[in-house]
Coordinates of all heavy atoms in Angstrom, one line a residue:
G725 N 8.8 -1.9 -18.0 CA 9.9 -2.6 -17.2 C 9.4 -3.2 -15.9 O 8.3 -2.7 -15.5
F726 N 10.0 -4.2 -15.4 CA 9.7 -4.8 -14.2 C 9.6 -3.8 -13.0 O 10.1 -2.8 -13.0 CB 10.6 -6.0 -13.9 CG 10.1 -7.0 -13.0 CD1 9.3 -8.0 -13.5 CD2 10.4 -7.0 -11.5 CE1 8.8 -9.0 -12.6 CE2 9.9 -8.1 -10.7 CZ 9.1 -9.0 -11.3
M727 N 8.8 -4.3 -12.0 CA 8.8 -3.5 -10.8 C 10.3 -3.2 -10.3 O 11.0 -4.1 -10.4 CB 8.0 -4.3 -9.6 CG 6.6 -4.5 -9.9 SD 5.8 -5.7 -8.8 CE 6.0 -7.2 -9.7
K731 N 10.8 3.2 -13.2 CA 10.1 3.7 -14.2 C 9.4 5.2 -13.7 O 9.5 6.1 -14.5 CB 8.8 2.9 -14.6 CG 9.3 1.6 -15.2 CD 8.1 0.8 -15.6 CE 7.3 0.2 -14.3 NZ 7.9 -0.7 -13.5
T732 N 9.0 5.2 -12.4 CA 8.3 6.4 -11.9 C 9.3 7.5 -11.7 O 9.3 8.6 -12.1 CB 7.6 6.2 -10.5 OG1 6.6 5.1 -10.9 CG2 7.0 7.3 -10.0
D750 N -0.3 3.6 -12.7 CA -0.7 3.2 -11.4 C -1.4 4.3 -10.6 O -2.4 4.1 -10.0 CB 0.3 2.6 -10.6 CG 0.7 1.2 -11.0 OD1 -0.1 0.5 -11.8 OD2 1.8 0.7 -10.7
V761 N -3.4 0.5 -5.2 CA -3.3 -0.8 -6.1 C -3.4 -2.0 -5.3 O -4.1 -2.9 -5.7 CB -2.0 -0.7 -6.9 CG1 -1.6 -2.1 -7.6 CG2 -2.0 0.4 -7.9
F765 N -6.2 -5.1 -5.8 CA -5.8 -6.5 -6.0 C -6.5 -7.4 -4.9 O -7.2 -8.4 -5.2 CB -4.4 -6.7 -5.8 CG -3.5 -6.7 -7.1 CD1 -3.4 -5.5 -7.8 CD2 -3.0 -7.8 -7.6 CE1 -2.6 -5.5 -9.0 CE2 -2.2 -7.8 -8.8 CZ -2.1 -6.7 -9.5
F773 N -8.0 -5.5 -12.0 CA -6.9 -4.5 -12.1 C -6.4 -4.3 -13.5 O -6.3 -3.2 -14.0 CB -5.7 -4.8 -11.1 CG -4.5 -3.9 -11.2 CD1 -4.5 -2.7 -10.7 CD2 -3.5 -4.3 -12.1 CE1 -3.5 -1.8 -10.9 CE2 -2.4 -3.4 -12.4 CZ -2.4 -2.1 -11.7
R774 N -6.2 -5.4 -14.1 CA -5.8 -5.4 -15.5 C -6.7 -4.8 -16.4 O -6.3 -4.1 -17.4 CB -5.4 -6.8 -16.0 CG -4.3 -7.6 -15.2 CD -2.9 -6.9 -15.5 NE -2.0 -7.6 -14.6 CZ -0.9 -6.9 -14.1 NH1 -0.6 -5.7 -14.5 NH2 0.0 -7.5 -13.3
E777 N -6.4 -1.1 -15.9 CA -5.1 -0.7 -16.3 C -5.3 -0.5 -17.9 O -4.8 0.5 -18.4 CB -4.1 -1.8 -16.1 CG -2.7 -1.5 -16.5 CD -1.7 -2.6 -16.0 OE1 -1.9 -3.8 -16.3 OE2 -0.8 -2.2 -15.5
T794 N 4.4 3.1 -17.1 CA 3.3 2.0 -16.9 C 3.6 1.3 -15.7 O 4.8 1.3 -15.2 CB 3.3 1.1 -18.1 OG1 4.5 0.4 -18.2 CG2 3.0 1.8 -19.4
G795 N 2.7 0.4 -15.3 CA 3.0 -0.6 -14.2 C 3.8 -1.7 -14.8 O 3.7 -1.9 -16.1
G796 N 4.4 -2.6 -14.1 CA 5.3 -3.6 -14.6 C 4.6 -4.7 -15.4 O 5.2 -5.4 -16.1
G797 N 3.3 -4.8 -15.2 CA 2.6 -5.8 -15.9 C 1.9 -5.4 -17.1 O 1.2 -6.2 -17.8
D833 N 3.5 -1.9 -1.1 CA 2.5 -1.5 -2.2 C 2.7 -2.2 -3.5 O 2.3 -1.8 -4.6 CB 2.5 0.0 -2.4 CG 3.8 0.5 -2.7 OD1 4.8 -0.2 -2.8 OD2 4.0 1.8 -2.8
R834 N 3.4 -3.4 -3.5 CA 3.5 -4.3 -4.7 C 2.9 -5.6 -4.3 O 3.5 -6.6 -3.9 CB 4.9 -4.4 -5.1 CG 5.4 -3.0 -5.6 CD 6.7 -3.1 -6.3 NE 7.1 -2.0 -7.1 CZ 7.9 -1.1 -6.6 NH1 8.5 -1.1 -5.4 NH2 8.1 0.0 -7.3
P835 N 1.5 -5.8 -4.6 CA 0.9 -6.9 -4.1 C 1.6 -8.3 -4.7 O 1.5 -9.2 -3.9 CB -0.5 -6.8 -4.7 CG -0.5 -5.7 -5.6 CD 0.7 -4.8 -5.3
L836 N 2.0 -8.2 -5.8 CA 2.6 -9.5 -6.4 C 3.9 -9.9 -5.8 O 4.2 -11.2 -5.7 CB 2.9 -9.3 -7.9 CG 1.7 -9.2 -8.8 CD1 2.0 -8.9 -10.2 CD2 0.7 -10.3 -8.7
R853 N 7.8 -13.1 -18.1 CA 7.5 -11.8 -18.9 C 8.7 -11.4 -19.9 O 8.5 -10.4 -20.6 CB 7.4 -10.7 -17.9 CG 6.2 -10.9 -17.0 CD 6.1 -9.7 -16.0 NE 4.9 -9.8 -15.2 CZ 4.5 -8.9 -14.3 NH1 5.3 -7.9 -14.1 NH2 3.3 -9.0 -13.6
Ligands
S3P2208 C1 2.6 -4.8 -11.3 C2 3.4 -3.7 -11.1 C3 3.1 -2.6 -10.4 C4 1.5 -2.4 -10.4 C5 0.9 -3.6 -10.0 C6 1.2 -4.8 -10.9 C7 3.2 -6.0 -12.1 O1 3.6 -1.3 -10.8 O2 1.0 -2.1 -11.6 O3 1.3 -3.9 -8.6 O4 2.4 -6.8 -12.4 O5 4.4 -6.0 -12.3 P1 5.3 -0.9 -10.7 O6 6.0 -1.7 -11.7 O7 5.2 0.6 -10.9 O8 5.6 -1.3 -9.4

Side-chain angles (χ1 to χ4, degrees):
F726 201 77
M727 294 170 267
K731 302 177 295 292
T732 301
D750 281 346
V761 167
F765 267 71
F773 172 81
R774 297 292 171 210
E777 184 176 48
T794 66
D833 52 6
R834 291 192 169 98
L836 294 177
R853 293 178 177 184

